[in-house]
Amino acid sequence: MSRDDWHYLYNRKAWKQLRLDHLSKEPLCVFCQRDGKLTPATVVDHIKAHKGNLDLFFDAKNLQSLCKLHHDSTKQKAELKQVNYIGCDENGLPIDPEHPFNLGRGG
């Protein structure tokens, strides 16, 4: 399924409301917070790429707030490398022990 087959989902009223609700609850970029910075988020990102899967697309637990810079750089590079994000802890650190951030931390 190509991006053109599901990109229309971002224009749906349900997505727009879910996005606004998410940003009101999580207004800061989770990647910036990990670096000790407080940056307003402008993008609601799907942690696991949905590729048109409606369950993943509308799953509030599959969303994270990002600034545009992190969404368009760090997150896109991770998706191209097919890194799977399964979420973050209360400090914004990746839970997945295989996440590149956690590799080599010994922890």
Side-chain angles (χ1 to χ4, degrees):
M1 182 179 283
S2 76
R3 183 174 190 245
D4 291 339
D5 292 332
W6 49 259
H7 194 67
Y8 74 94
L9 294 170
Y10 291 100
N11 292 321
R12 293 180 68 178
K13 184 177 179 180
W15 165 252
K16 291 178 181 182
Q17 188 61 55
L18 181 61
R19 180 187 176 280
L20 288 174
D21 291 346
H22 183 82
L23 285 174
S24 71
K25 293 175 191 167
E26 303 289 337
L28 300 174
C29 174
V30 296
F31 286 12
C32 287
Q33 287 182 50
R34 186 184 311 147
D35 294 335
K37 300 174 187 171
L38 300 177
T39 306
T42 56
V43 178
V44 174
D45 175 65
H46 291 90
I47 297 166
K48 181 176 181 181
H50 60 83
K51 299 189 188 301
N53 178 316
L54 294 178
D55 291 333
L56 281 175
F57 188 86
F58 289 109
D59 181 1
K61 294 176 186 168
N62 188 38
L63 302 177
Q64 64 183 351
S65 299
L66 298 177
C67 65
K68 183 158 176 52
L69 177 66
H70 275 120
H71 179 265
D72 293 353
S73 61
T74 308
K75 178 62 192 284
Q76 298 303 316
K77 288 176 189 173
E79 283 186 359
L80 288 174
K81 292 179 182 179
Q82 297 182 344
V83 174
N84 193 9
Y85 292 100
I86 60 170
C88 299
D89 65 15
E90 64 276 359
N91 297 312
L93 300 174
I95 295 169
D96 184 352
E98 298 300 316
H99 187 283
F101 183 82
N102 290 326
L103 294 177
R105 291 185 70 210

